[in-house]
Amino acid sequence: MKIEGCVALVTGANRGLGQAIVSALVEAGAARVYAAARDERRVSADGSRVLPLTLDVTKPEQIAIAVRKAGDVTLLINNAGALNSFNVLTASPAEIDADFGVQVHGTLNVIRAFLPVLERVPLGGTIVNVLSLTSLASFPALGGYSASKAAAYSITQSLRPELKKKQIDILAVLPGPIDTDMVKDLPMPKTSPAETARGLLAGIARGDEEIFPDPLAQQMSVLWNKSHKEYERAFASF
Ligand SMILES: NC(=O)c1ccc[n+]([C@@H]2O[C@H](COP(=O)([O-])OP(=O)(O)OC[C@H]3O[C@@H](n4cnc5c(N)ncnc54)[C@H](OP(=O)(O)O)[C@@H]3O)[C@@H](O)[C@H]2O)c1
């Protein structure tokens, strides 16, 4: 799809990757960007084309209000994410529920609510789900989170044929580690949010169904294509 002139909505837009996606969209010529956040006062609206919007993706009443306020969206980017559950043997049910609440139920509820809006887009709307390399195989140190990202990937695949009939594309973004608050305590090579955001937009522009937006993700995608088992073992060895 063409980014220039689009009307985008980005969830979790107040920091990290979401904030970088908003800046990259403005730079690429988006007509308007709804920067959605749990606390819209924390959104840096660095231009008249950025409109802060209150949206906790786990709150159906806020989703309904967001749909009314942002009824002209052509590109929906589900970026909001949470990391509460680590080792699957020791994570509490509440921690696992918290990750599934945002990654799975939150994303799905936002998509369901915005479908009527995206169906009205003359040349077809686009949905982008920010997932993770852990959607393809578990990173055991983040086992509960990995399971939620794998479930979100499965839902993305489930929706694809349904949405195709409505001329809506749904794309999965599978980044490697990004230098944000989420993984600040994990010592590993990371890509900057700005570089990841640029790779993400390039993938949207190409219409890639699976977008590997950073160099590490691209490297891992080669391994994934070669052998799913080797990919799983590479993650397990960290
Ligand atoms: N960092 C990585 O290494 C990495 C790698 C692969 C994929 N990802 C994915 O990239 C996306 C962005 O993550 P990040 O690295 O930028 O993490 P981050 O810095 O922790 O930011 C997470 C964002 O999600 C928002 N959020 C959390 N729960 C929410 C909810 N219930 N409703 C609305 N927004 C909510 C946060 O809002 P608050 O400020 O209100 O908490 C924040 O804006 C996530 O989907 C993450 O899983 C990250």
Side-chain angles (χ1 to χ4, degrees), residues 12-18 38 42 55-58 79-81 102 130-132 145 149 175-178 180-183:
N14 55 299
R15 60 189 171 106
L17 179 61
R38 288 196 280 196
R42 289 167 57 207
L55 180 57
D56 182 327
V57 302
T58 65
N79 163 76
V102 178
V130 178
L131 306 174
S132 164
Y145 169 87
K149 287 293 189 183
I178 311 164
T180 66
D181 295 342
M182 184 173 276
V183 292

Side-chain angles (χ1 to χ4, degrees), residues 9-14 34-43 51-70 73 76-81 102 106-107 109-111 113-114:
L9 187 150
V10 183
T11 64
N14 55 299
Y34 295 100
R38 288 196 280 196
D39 180 353
E40 67 172 82
R41 290 167 305 182
R42 289 167 57 207
V43 167
L51 304 174
L53 187 69
T54 297
L55 180 57
D56 182 327
V57 302
T58 65
K59 298 204 166 135
E61 65 284 2
Q62 290 190 6
I63 298 176
I65 294 170
V67 171
R68 286 203 291 279
K69 287 189 172 166
V73 165
L76 169 65
I77 303 186
N78 290 302
N79 163 76
V102 178
T107 299
N109 287 340
V110 170
I111 289 172
F114 271 93

Side-chain angles (χ1 to χ4, degrees):
M1 74 164 285
K2 200 162 163 245
I3 305 288
E4 196 182 351
C6 78
V7 178
L9 187 150
V10 183
T11 64
N14 55 299
R15 60 189 171 106
L17 179 61
Q19 187 176 26
I21 295 172
V22 171
S23 300
L25 283 164
V26 170
E27 202 173 303
R32 195 160 31 264
V33 183
Y34 295 100
R38 288 196 280 196
D39 180 353
E40 67 172 82
R41 290 167 305 182
R42 289 167 57 207
V43 167
S44 53
D46 53 358
S48 57
R49 284 181 282 148
V50 178
L51 304 174
L53 187 69
T54 297
L55 180 57
D56 182 327
V57 302
T58 65
K59 298 204 166 135
E61 65 284 2
Q62 290 190 6
I63 298 176
I65 294 170
V67 171
R68 286 203 291 279
K69 287 189 172 166
D72 54 351
V73 165
T74 62
L75 169 63
L76 169 65
I77 303 186
N78 290 302
N79 163 76
L83 169 55
N84 298 288
S85 54
F86 297 84
N87 184 310
V88 284
L89 285 178
T90 54
S92 69
E95 287 165 339
I96 293 178
D97 281 352
D99 286 354
F100 274 75
V102 178
Q103 267 89 260
V104 180
H105 300 293
T107 299
L108 186 55
N109 287 340
V110 170
I111 289 172
R112 285 177 173 167
F114 271 93
L115 270 192
V117 171
L118 293 166
E119 278 180 61
R120 289 200 296 268
V121 179
L123 292 175
T126 301
I127 298 170
V128 176
N129 290 340
V130 178
L131 306 174
S132 164
L133 287 178
T134 65
S135 298
L136 302 178
S138 181
F139 185 59
L142 313 181
Y145 169 87
S146 299
S148 69
K149 287 293 189 183
Y153 185 43
S154 179
I155 282 170
T156 307
Q157 291 173 324
S158 296
L159 286 168
R160 189 163 284 134
E162 290 287 323
L163 298 187
K164 200 119 228 113
K165 293 178 204 152
K166 301 176 190 292
Q167 281 197 298
I168 297 170
D169 289 328
I170 182 161
L171 314 178
V173 184
L174 304 140
I178 311 164
D179 196 4
T180 66
D181 295 342
M182 184 173 276
V183 292
K184 63 179 186 312
D185 297 329
L186 294 180
M188 52 172 68
K190 295 167 195 165
T191 306
S192 73
E195 185 178 353
T196 305
R198 281 194 297 274
L200 181 151
L201 288 200
I204 297 175
R206 288 192 301 270
D208 292 350
E209 289 185 352
E210 270 79 34
I211 299 170
F212 295 92
D214 57 272
L216 181 74
Q218 282 147 24
Q219 205 181 314
M220 289 303 285
S221 77
V222 174
L223 184 59
W224 165 252
N225 286 323
K226 184 177 155 225
S227 161
H228 295 187
K229 206 67 200 167
E230 275 185 45
Y231 181 98
E232 177 193 330
R233 287 190 187 121
F235 268 26
S237 69
F238 275 102

